[in-house]
Amino acid sequence: MASEDGSASQEVENEGDNGGVRELHANGNTMKTAEVEAKLDEGNIQEAESSLREGLSLNYEDCLSGVDRSLEMGVVKICKIANGHANGQIVCDDCTMEARALLGRLEYQRGNLEAALRVFDGIDLQAAILRLQPPSSESTSSKKGRPRSDSVTSASQHAASLVLEAIYLKAKSLQKLGKLKDAAEECKSVLDAVEKIFQQGIPDVQVDSRLQVTVSQAVELLPELWKKAGCYSEAITAYRRALLSQWNLSNECCARIQKEFAVFLLHGGVEAGPPSLAAQVDGSYVPKNNLEEAVLLLMILIRKFNLGKIKWDPSVMEHLKFALSLCGQTSVLSKQLEEIMPGVFHRIDRWNTLALCCSGMGQNKAALNVLRKSLHKHERPDNILALLLAAKICSEDSYLAEEGVGYAQRAINNATGNDEHLKGVGMRLLGLCLGKQATVSSSDFERSRLQSEALKSLDGAIACEQNNPDLIFELGVLHAEQRNLNAALRYAKRFIDATGGSILKGWRLLALVLSAQQRFSEAEVVIDAALDETAKWEQGPLLRLKAKLKTFQSRPMDSIETYRYLLALVQAQKKTFGSVRSVSKAEDDRVGEYDVCEHIMPLKCVMHQGQGQVQEAICDYVNALLLDATLVPCKILIGSVLSRVDKNALPIARSILSDALRIEPTNRKAWYYLGIIHRHDGRMVDAADCFQAASMLEESDPIESFSSLL
Amino acid sequence: MSEDNSPVASPTARDDGETITAESQAKIRTAMESLSSILTPPTLPPSLLSSPNPAASLLHHHRDISCQISALLRQPESGAGDNNLCRWLYDTFQSSQPDLQLVVLRFLPTIAGLYLSRVALRKPLAGFEAVLLALYAHETTSRSGQAVTVSVPDLSHPSVYHEAKDPNPTKNNATDLNLAVISPSLEPHGTVRSTRRARIVGVALELYYSKISVMPLESKLEFCGFCRGWSGQHGDFIMYLQDSTTTATNSINNNEKQEDINSNINNDKEGSRIPLPWELLQPVLRILGNCLLGPKQDKQLFDAASAACRCLYARSLHDMDPKAILATGSLLTLSKMALDPKNRIDYTEITMSNVISI
């Protein structure tokens, strides 16, 4: 724009200067600030103004000349709009306004905010809007042709940019003086004015850059002011106005506002409610609460970055990480991470975060694969977080336990300096991995070695973390598995005390240990107490225990009754919650229908068997085994039935029982029936060994395997 | 997340005496009278009683009274069923007067903090439990027991904020989106069953979070203190920890300053290590998020909340809980970023130039 070349020469940085404003430019004239500043310092705005007008020739003629000749028409037009006033007066108003805007900015830059406010107070925004506003619709109608309306836009833009900048600086001054609400009102009036003056919008190519800067800044400032002033619903409206109206914001500016809004939605503690209907386009996704809107905005920001439209802002990813892990949607988070351009994150950091995401959504295999890469000797093999996570994942799978032992040991070795406090965690995971490894060890010797090492490791861990109930629980289970029942009982009680009985598995452990000590009635008391402390939907595992306890006490009818109740509960649960329930925490503790069937089947078999219906009994066993091939009780029962049916079936029975013992070496019944088979076959020494094992175990058999607790 | 729309959206509006009905005023007066009989000396300052809304005034202005109530709550036998203060808190909340309910909520951090820490000590807790159950029941009613869910957006659908690349988007269908449960459905509970304890406190904290914009600073500071106690961790080391889960530059330059902060905060640590299942930890983290990154920026609160975050991050490492590690880790990184002057550029400031022109 020619006018800009002439009068509004853009800010030129003076070199080697102490920072203050030195010169004022207008209409091709230059003026040093010293004289004006002196007048301002005396508090004499009028005089400052007139010296400014003189110095910069701010009068009627020059006002016109200040605007490029090609725009003269536009100025005349402005005068025409405000009919009823004398032309001279209006232009004089403009001059006053120009001078005021200039003076105000001068004071603002000098940091004299109160003074700046006094100067700005003299500017009548509403009058300026009236002057600059397009005339009522009949005169904007197309009869005047296009070129003219263009020039109107340019001229009014220049005038508007002056007055709007002045009001914007008024808002900034108020902000700095801590008058946030007033500041917000002024800032809002800037945006209202822009909407009134440019009702038709401005074609992109013709936007005055100075006007655009002011508008963008006002758009960005307004919600921040409301927010700081504590007017949260106004802030939300302002954010949405900023993002849903057309302000021609730069990508960076829009991104900053989107991020600030997302942060406000996430952490503001005020529910924003969905955007107004007016903003909703048919068929488009409308966020219905804060979290949805925040996640949407953050995802949009990440996409903009991926498209190269904006600079990377690491906080965006952190906010998204927080939001999505709160929702438990780490799978979405991992997808977002994978989409981010290479080079933003170090690959190892990305892997480790991905591993956390995968593990968070239960995909431990995938998590472990990623961790193996990240812990490779050429990558970052000593990262303690990755080592611990890998060890934890391995500790849950007997076939990975050996690998986990390695990770845990490396973690312990690296738990130095600031990470020293994690040594106990490493030892705990080492103990768990060793304990798990013991369950698949090939020899008894190996097994007992691993178990005692596991115990040593957990003992070491608890020395580091005496108050960690998880550790207390794990020690209880380990002792129980090794049939140190008194120790196990102590830990089980300690765990219930430490957790205030709030964790179901504590009750189960206590009941199982008591049952292993053959203290069935006490075990039943514990289970009943636990049932009291448990809401209906989480009672499944306890009911199952109770049913088994009754079986053990030779009360099969009571037992079946309990199972029936349990099955009804499971089915009701399925009906009530459908799939939504799956996110709830109770998931691990739930008993499924299959689970109940698994237990009812053997019972039915026992009854068939008792009634001499051998074929039916075997059918039931096979059905139950089809549900779960590793079902030890069924294997034992099949073995026992087969061993009686037919001599030819003895080898099959034997292999089934051996298989059962591989899975559960401390199963008393399996040893017993294996003994019977050996006796049938005439291998008396073997039979005696088996019976001896069975009788030793009989003293310490829990009603449900201890390993089911971990 | 609460669907409850009680008129607290604008915190300042309440404060400067919105007109309250005569019925409410009567309730507030009764509540204040019975409160004064619990305090020592059994009087409330006249300035409090004469204010147009004594409940709001107690919430926002009378720190001394709040401190006294907090101190009474901390007495060893305070959680008992026959405790006067617990009874007052219960009755006051049941009055259904919104301002009075806010006063009760203000003390939730202390009640929940003490309650959960004392469970293992076998102390009488029926009084605390009654208050917590009242809050739980209120939240259950106000959302009719419904779960709070979020459908995580998917950018392939166009939204109010963006256009999708696909010109013919499939119909916006909620089933395409990932449905996440923020807070599962609520069943009514008449007593605190121990296995539901964390959930009941968690739901009470969800209610607290929904009103957090009107909660006074001290209430949030107390909350941060209990978070540190609950974690059972120091968290001091965390500030030096090279957090490998993020790329953010985590090294804190100003160690001395941090030590300073710590010595200030250590005194406020309260409570003892408790189990932190997700149903409890999640609302805790949302509250901490507000304390750290919310609109009311306060240095003291920021320091207290980031100390709490460090402790909870340490705890999540000890528990090896991936979701908790991610969430606490990102809060920690964000709080460090907030301290970085690099991130504090004011884009709304004008270019300060040597030449001003028209």
Side-chain angles (χ1 to χ4, degrees), chain A residues 576-631:
Chain A
T576 314
F577 298 111
S579 51
V580 181
R581 183 74 177 180
S582 63
V583 196
S584 106
K585 76 112 209 175
E587 192 167 31
D588 347 340
D589 294 337
R590 268 175 63 208
V591 178
E593 265 175 291
Y594 277 135
D595 215 15
V596 181
C597 293
E598 268 176 21
H599 295 94
I600 287 190
M601 289 282 195
L603 264 183
K604 263 174 81 188
C605 317
V606 173
M607 291 176 65
H608 280 304
Q609 197 181 335
Q611 293 160 1
Q613 297 159 327
V614 176
Q615 284 303 324
E616 285 85 341
I618 291 186
C619 276
D620 286 336
Y621 292 146
V622 173
N623 277 339
L625 270 183
L626 284 174
L627 285 177
D628 181 357
T630 60
L631 210 57

Coordinates of all heavy atoms in Angstrom, one line a residue, chain A residues 576-631:
Chain A
T576 N -26.1 -56.7 32.9 CA -26.1 -55.3 33.4 C -25.1 -54.4 32.7 O -25.4 -53.3 32.4 CB -25.9 -55.3 34.9 OG1 -26.7 -56.4 35.5 CG2 -26.3 -54.0 35.5
F577 N -23.9 -54.9 32.6 CA -22.8 -54.0 32.2 C -22.4 -54.1 30.8 O -21.8 -53.2 30.2 CB -21.6 -54.2 33.1 CG -21.9 -53.9 34.5 CD1 -22.0 -55.0 35.5 CD2 -22.2 -52.7 34.9 CE1 -22.3 -54.7 36.8 CE2 -22.5 -52.4 36.2 CZ -22.5 -53.4 37.2
G578 N -22.7 -55.2 30.1 CA -22.3 -55.3 28.7 C -20.9 -55.1 28.6 O -20.1 -55.6 29.4
S579 N -20.5 -54.4 27.6 CA -19.0 -54.3 27.3 C -18.4 -53.1 28.0 O -17.2 -53.1 28.2 CB -18.8 -54.1 25.8 OG -19.6 -53.1 25.3
V580 N -19.2 -52.1 28.4 CA -18.6 -50.9 29.0 C -17.9 -51.2 30.3 O -16.8 -50.7 30.6 CB -19.8 -49.9 29.4 CG1 -19.2 -48.6 30.0 CG2 -20.6 -49.6 28.2
R581 N -18.4 -52.2 31.0 CA -17.8 -52.6 32.2 C -16.3 -53.0 32.1 O -15.5 -52.9 33.1 CB -18.6 -53.8 32.8 CG -18.2 -54.3 34.1 CD -18.6 -53.4 35.2 NE -18.3 -53.9 36.5 CZ -18.6 -53.3 37.6 NH1 -19.2 -52.2 37.6 NH2 -18.2 -53.9 38.8
S582 N -15.9 -53.4 30.9 CA -14.6 -54.0 30.8 C -13.5 -53.0 31.2 O -12.4 -53.5 31.5 CB -14.4 -54.4 29.3 OG -14.4 -53.3 28.5
V583 N -13.8 -51.8 31.3 CA -12.7 -50.8 31.7 C -12.5 -50.8 33.2 O -11.5 -50.3 33.7 CB -13.1 -49.4 31.2 CG1 -11.8 -48.6 31.2 CG2 -13.6 -49.5 29.8
S584 N -13.5 -51.3 33.9 CA -13.5 -51.1 35.4 C -12.3 -51.9 35.9 O -11.8 -52.8 35.3 CB -14.8 -51.5 36.0 OG -14.6 -52.8 36.6
K585 N -11.9 -51.5 37.1 CA -10.7 -52.1 37.7 C -10.9 -53.5 38.2 O -10.0 -54.3 38.3 CB -10.3 -51.2 38.9 CG -11.1 -51.4 40.1 CD -10.3 -52.0 41.2 CE -11.3 -52.8 42.1 NZ -10.7 -53.5 43.2
A586 N -12.2 -53.8 38.3 CA -12.5 -55.1 38.9 C -12.2 -56.3 37.9 O -12.4 -57.4 38.3 CB -14.0 -55.2 39.3
E587 N -11.8 -55.9 36.7 CA -11.7 -56.8 35.7 C -10.9 -58.1 36.1 O -11.3 -59.2 35.9 CB -11.0 -56.2 34.5 CG -11.1 -57.0 33.3 CD -10.7 -56.2 32.0 OE1 -9.9 -55.3 32.1 OE2 -11.2 -56.5 31.0
D588 N -9.7 -57.9 36.7 CA -8.8 -59.0 37.0 C -9.5 -59.9 38.0 O -9.2 -61.1 38.0 CB -7.5 -58.6 37.5 CG -7.2 -57.1 37.4 OD1 -7.9 -56.5 36.5 OD2 -6.4 -56.6 38.1
D589 N -10.3 -59.3 38.8 CA -10.9 -60.1 39.9 C -12.2 -60.8 39.5 O -12.8 -61.5 40.3 CB -11.2 -59.2 41.1 CG -9.9 -58.7 41.7 OD1 -8.9 -59.3 41.4 OD2 -9.9 -57.6 42.3
R590 N -12.6 -60.6 38.3 CA -13.9 -61.2 37.9 C -13.9 -62.6 37.6 O -12.9 -63.2 37.1 CB -14.5 -60.4 36.8 CG -15.4 -59.2 37.3 CD -15.9 -58.4 36.2 NE -16.7 -59.1 35.3 CZ -16.8 -58.9 34.0 NH1 -16.1 -57.9 33.5 NH2 -17.6 -59.6 33.2
V591 N -15.0 -63.3 37.8 CA -15.1 -64.7 37.5 C -16.0 -64.7 36.2 O -17.0 -64.2 36.2 CB -15.8 -65.4 38.6 CG1 -15.9 -66.9 38.3 CG2 -14.9 -65.3 39.9
G592 N -15.5 -65.4 35.2 CA -16.3 -65.5 34.0 C -17.2 -66.7 34.0 O -17.1 -67.6 34.9
E593 N -18.1 -66.8 33.0 CA -19.0 -68.0 33.0 C -18.2 -69.2 32.8 O -18.4 -70.2 33.4 CB -19.9 -67.8 31.8 CG -21.2 -67.2 32.1 CD -22.1 -67.0 30.9 OE1 -21.7 -66.1 30.1 OE2 -23.1 -67.7 30.7
Y594 N -17.2 -69.2 31.9 CA -16.3 -70.3 31.7 C -15.8 -70.8 33.0 O -15.7 -72.0 33.3 CB -15.2 -70.0 30.7 CG -15.6 -70.0 29.3 CD1 -15.2 -69.0 28.4 CD2 -16.3 -71.1 28.8 CE1 -15.6 -69.0 27.1 CE2 -16.7 -71.1 27.5 CZ -16.3 -70.1 26.6 OH -16.6 -70.1 25.3
D595 N -15.3 -69.8 33.7 CA -14.7 -70.1 35.0 C -15.6 -70.9 35.9 O -15.1 -71.9 36.5 CB -14.4 -68.7 35.6 CG -13.1 -68.7 36.4 OD1 -12.3 -69.7 36.1 OD2 -12.9 -67.8 37.2
V596 N -16.8 -70.5 35.9 CA -17.7 -71.2 36.8 C -18.0 -72.6 36.2 O -18.0 -73.6 37.0 CB -19.1 -70.5 36.9 CG1 -20.0 -71.3 37.8 CG2 -18.9 -69.1 37.4
C597 N -18.2 -72.7 34.9 CA -18.4 -74.0 34.3 C -17.2 -74.9 34.6 O -17.4 -76.1 34.9 CB -18.5 -73.8 32.8 SG -20.0 -72.9 32.3
E598 N -16.0 -74.4 34.5 CA -14.9 -75.2 34.8 C -15.0 -75.9 36.1 O -14.5 -77.0 36.3 CB -13.6 -74.2 34.9 CG -12.9 -74.0 33.6 CD -11.8 -73.0 33.8 OE1 -11.4 -72.8 35.0 OE2 -11.4 -72.4 32.8
H599 N -15.6 -75.1 37.0 CA -15.6 -75.7 38.4 C -16.8 -76.6 38.6 O -16.8 -77.5 39.4 CB -15.5 -74.6 39.4 CG -14.2 -73.9 39.4 ND1 -14.0 -72.7 38.7 CD2 -13.0 -74.2 40.0 CE1 -12.8 -72.4 38.8 NE2 -12.2 -73.2 39.6
I600 N -17.9 -76.2 37.9 CA -19.1 -77.0 38.1 C -18.9 -78.4 37.4 O -19.3 -79.4 37.9 CB -20.3 -76.3 37.5 CG1 -20.7 -75.2 38.5 CG2 -21.5 -77.2 37.4 CD1 -22.0 -74.5 38.3
M601 N -18.3 -78.3 36.2 CA -18.1 -79.6 35.4 C -17.5 -80.7 36.3 O -18.0 -81.8 36.4 CB -17.2 -79.3 34.2 CG -17.9 -78.5 33.2 SD -19.0 -79.5 32.2 CE -19.3 -78.4 30.8
P602 N -16.3 -80.4 36.9 CA -15.7 -81.5 37.7 C -16.7 -82.0 38.8 O -16.8 -83.2 39.1 CB -14.5 -80.9 38.3 CG -14.2 -79.7 37.5 CD -15.5 -79.2 36.9
L603 N -17.4 -81.0 39.3 CA -18.3 -81.4 40.4 C -19.4 -82.4 39.9 O -19.7 -83.4 40.5 CB -19.0 -80.2 41.0 CG -18.4 -79.6 42.2 CD1 -19.3 -78.4 42.7 CD2 -18.3 -80.6 43.3
K604 N -20.0 -82.0 38.7 CA -20.9 -82.8 38.0 C -20.4 -84.2 37.8 O -21.0 -85.2 38.0 CB -21.4 -82.2 36.7 CG -22.7 -81.4 36.8 CD -23.0 -80.7 35.5 CE -23.7 -81.6 34.5 NZ -23.8 -80.9 33.2
C605 N -19.1 -84.2 37.3 CA -18.5 -85.5 37.1 C -18.4 -86.3 38.3 O -18.7 -87.5 38.3 CB -17.0 -85.3 36.6 SG -16.9 -84.0 35.4
V606 N -18.0 -85.6 39.4 CA -17.9 -86.4 40.6 C -19.2 -87.0 41.0 O -19.3 -88.2 41.4 CB -17.4 -85.4 41.8 CG1 -17.4 -86.2 43.1 CG2 -16.0 -84.9 41.5
M607 N -20.3 -86.2 40.7 CA -21.6 -86.8 41.1 C -22.0 -87.9 40.2 O -22.5 -89.0 40.6 CB -22.6 -85.7 41.1 CG -22.4 -84.7 42.2 SD -23.5 -83.3 42.2 CE -25.0 -84.2 42.5
H608 N -21.7 -87.7 38.9 CA -22.0 -88.8 37.9 C -21.2 -90.1 38.4 O -21.7 -91.2 38.4 CB -21.6 -88.4 36.5 CG -22.6 -87.6 35.8 ND1 -23.9 -87.9 35.7 CD2 -22.5 -86.3 35.2 CE1 -24.6 -87.0 35.0 NE2 -23.7 -86.0 34.8
Q609 N -20.0 -89.8 38.7 CA -19.1 -90.9 39.0 C -19.6 -91.6 40.3 O -19.7 -92.8 40.3 CB -17.7 -90.3 39.3 CG -16.6 -91.3 39.3 CD -15.3 -90.6 39.6 OE1 -15.1 -89.4 39.4 NE2 -14.4 -91.3 40.1
G610 N -20.0 -90.8 41.2 CA -20.5 -91.3 42.4 C -21.8 -92.2 42.2 O -22.0 -93.1 42.9
Q611 N -22.5 -91.8 41.2 CA -23.7 -92.5 40.9 C -23.4 -93.7 39.9 O -24.3 -94.3 39.4 CB -24.8 -91.6 40.3 CG -25.3 -90.6 41.3 CD -26.0 -89.4 40.6 OE1 -26.1 -89.3 39.4 NE2 -26.4 -88.4 41.4
G612 N -22.1 -93.9 39.6 CA -21.8 -95.0 38.8 C -21.9 -94.7 37.3 O -21.8 -95.6 36.5
Q613 N -22.2 -93.5 36.9 CA -22.4 -93.2 35.5 C -21.1 -92.8 34.9 O -20.8 -91.6 34.7 CB -23.4 -92.1 35.3 CG -24.8 -92.4 35.8 CD -25.7 -91.2 36.1 OE1 -25.2 -90.2 36.6 NE2 -27.0 -91.4 35.9
V614 N -20.2 -93.8 34.7 CA -18.9 -93.5 34.3 C -18.7 -92.8 32.9 O -18.0 -91.8 32.8 CB -18.1 -94.8 34.3 CG1 -16.7 -94.6 33.8 CG2 -18.1 -95.4 35.7
Q615 N -19.6 -93.2 32.0 CA -19.5 -92.6 30.6 C -19.8 -91.1 30.7 O -19.1 -90.3 30.2 CB -20.4 -93.3 29.7 CG -20.0 -94.6 29.2 CD -18.6 -94.6 28.5 OE1 -18.3 -93.6 27.8 NE2 -17.8 -95.6 28.7
E616 N -20.9 -90.8 31.4 CA -21.3 -89.4 31.6 C -20.2 -88.6 32.2 O -19.9 -87.5 31.8 CB -22.6 -89.3 32.4 CG -23.8 -89.7 31.7 CD -24.1 -91.2 31.8 OE1 -23.1 -92.0 32.1 OE2 -25.2 -91.6 31.5
A617 N -19.6 -89.2 33.3 CA -18.5 -88.6 34.0 C -17.4 -88.2 33.0 O -16.9 -87.1 33.0 CB -18.0 -89.4 35.1
I618 N -17.0 -89.2 32.2 CA -15.8 -88.9 31.3 C -16.2 -87.8 30.3 O -15.4 -86.9 30.0 CB -15.4 -90.2 30.6 CG1 -14.7 -91.1 31.7 CG2 -14.4 -89.9 29.5 CD1 -14.1 -92.4 31.1
C619 N -17.5 -87.9 29.8 CA -17.9 -86.8 28.9 C -17.7 -85.5 29.5 O -17.2 -84.5 28.9 CB -19.4 -87.0 28.5 SG -19.6 -88.2 27.2
D620 N -18.2 -85.3 30.8 CA -18.1 -84.0 31.4 C -16.7 -83.6 31.6 O -16.3 -82.4 31.3 CB -18.7 -84.1 32.8 CG -20.3 -84.2 32.7 OD1 -20.8 -83.7 31.7 OD2 -20.9 -84.7 33.7
Y621 N -15.8 -84.5 31.9 CA -14.4 -84.1 32.1 C -13.8 -83.6 30.8 O -13.1 -82.6 30.7 CB -13.5 -85.3 32.5 CG -13.8 -85.8 33.9 CD1 -13.8 -87.2 34.2 CD2 -14.2 -84.9 34.9 CE1 -14.0 -87.7 35.4 CE2 -14.5 -85.4 36.1 CZ -14.4 -86.8 36.4 OH -14.6 -87.2 37.7
V622 N -14.2 -84.3 29.7 CA -13.6 -83.9 28.4 C -14.1 -82.5 28.0 O -13.4 -81.7 27.5 CB -13.9 -85.0 27.3 CG1 -13.5 -84.5 26.0 CG2 -13.2 -86.3 27.7
N623 N -15.4 -82.3 28.3 CA -16.0 -81.0 28.0 C -15.3 -79.9 28.8 O -14.9 -78.9 28.2 CB -17.5 -81.0 28.4 CG -18.4 -81.6 27.4 OD1 -17.9 -81.7 26.2 ND2 -19.5 -82.0 27.7
A624 N -15.0 -80.2 30.0 CA -14.3 -79.2 30.8 C -12.9 -79.0 30.3 O -12.5 -77.8 30.2 CB -14.3 -79.7 32.3
L625 N -12.3 -80.0 29.9 CA -10.9 -79.9 29.4 C -10.9 -79.1 28.1 O -9.9 -78.4 27.7 CB -10.2 -81.2 29.2 CG -9.5 -81.8 30.4 CD1 -8.8 -83.1 30.0 CD2 -8.4 -80.8 30.8
L626 N -12.0 -79.2 27.3 CA -12.0 -78.5 26.1 C -12.1 -77.0 26.4 O -11.6 -76.2 25.6 CB -13.3 -78.9 25.3 CG -13.2 -80.2 24.6 CD1 -14.5 -80.6 23.9 CD2 -12.0 -80.2 23.5
L627 N -12.7 -76.6 27.5 CA -12.7 -75.2 27.9 C -11.3 -74.7 28.2 O -10.9 -73.6 27.9 CB -13.6 -75.0 29.1 CG -15.1 -75.1 28.8 CD1 -15.8 -75.0 30.2 CD2 -15.5 -74.0 27.9
D628 N -10.6 -75.5 28.9 CA -9.2 -75.1 29.3 C -8.4 -76.4 29.4 O -8.6 -77.2 30.3 CB -9.3 -74.4 30.6 CG -7.9 -73.9 31.1 OD1 -7.0 -74.2 30.3 OD2 -7.9 -73.3 32.1
A629 N -7.4 -76.4 28.5 CA -6.6 -77.6 28.4 C -5.6 -77.8 29.6 O -5.1 -78.8 29.8 CB -5.8 -77.7 27.1
T630 N -5.5 -76.7 30.4 CA -4.5 -76.8 31.5 C -5.2 -77.0 32.8 O -4.7 -76.7 33.9 CB -3.6 -75.5 31.6 OG1 -4.5 -74.4 31.8 CG2 -2.8 -75.3 30.3
L631 N -6.4 -77.5 32.7 CA -7.2 -77.6 33.9 C -6.8 -78.8 34.8 O -7.1 -79.9 34.4 CB -8.7 -77.7 33.5 CG -9.7 -77.2 34.5 CD1 -9.5 -75.7 34.8 CD2 -11.1 -77.3 33.9

